[in-house]
Amino acid sequence: AFQDCCPYKNSFIEKNIYSMLVLVLEDNPARLFYESLGAKKIDMLQIDIDGKKLKEAVYGWKDIRKVDL
């Protein structure tokens, strides 16, 4: 599953990049997909798009090598 969402995972690891962040709108159901892959919500941001204030969740993995594929 994680390979499908992140085809560059091995490239990151080869470059000693082990952590990863994604930002997703709080109302976007895709956030559940990231949670299912072990991402932890680490922050919430408020953004403005065309004058509309939206909440954006910041999800992260400390070590993508530990993500169960």
Side-chain angles (χ1 to χ4, degrees):
F2 192 71
Q3 290 172 331
D4 295 335
C5 81
C6 187
Y8 303 106
K9 177 186 171 191
N10 289 336
S11 295
F12 293 154
I13 292 170
E14 289 169 5
K15 294 177 175 122
N16 298 319
I17 300 170
Y18 305 122
S19 60
M20 189 168 84
L21 295 175
V22 294
L23 283 73
V24 60
L25 293 174
E26 183 179 45
D27 293 337
N28 185 339
R31 65 184 171 72
L32 301 175
F33 173 71
Y34 299 124
E35 290 175 10
S36 75
L37 294 174
K40 304 295 182 202
K41 188 190 296 186
I42 57 175
D43 202 358
M44 288 293 295
L45 306 173
Q46 185 168 303
I47 61 171
D48 187 311
I49 298 178
D50 287 333
K52 185 174 180 181
K53 295 190 184 313
L54 301 170
K55 291 182 180 178
E56 192 169 45
V58 180
Y59 284 91
W61 295 265
K62 283 188 176 185
D63 191 340
I64 60 173
R65 296 171 296 179
K66 296 179 182 178
V67 174
D68 185 24
L69 299 175

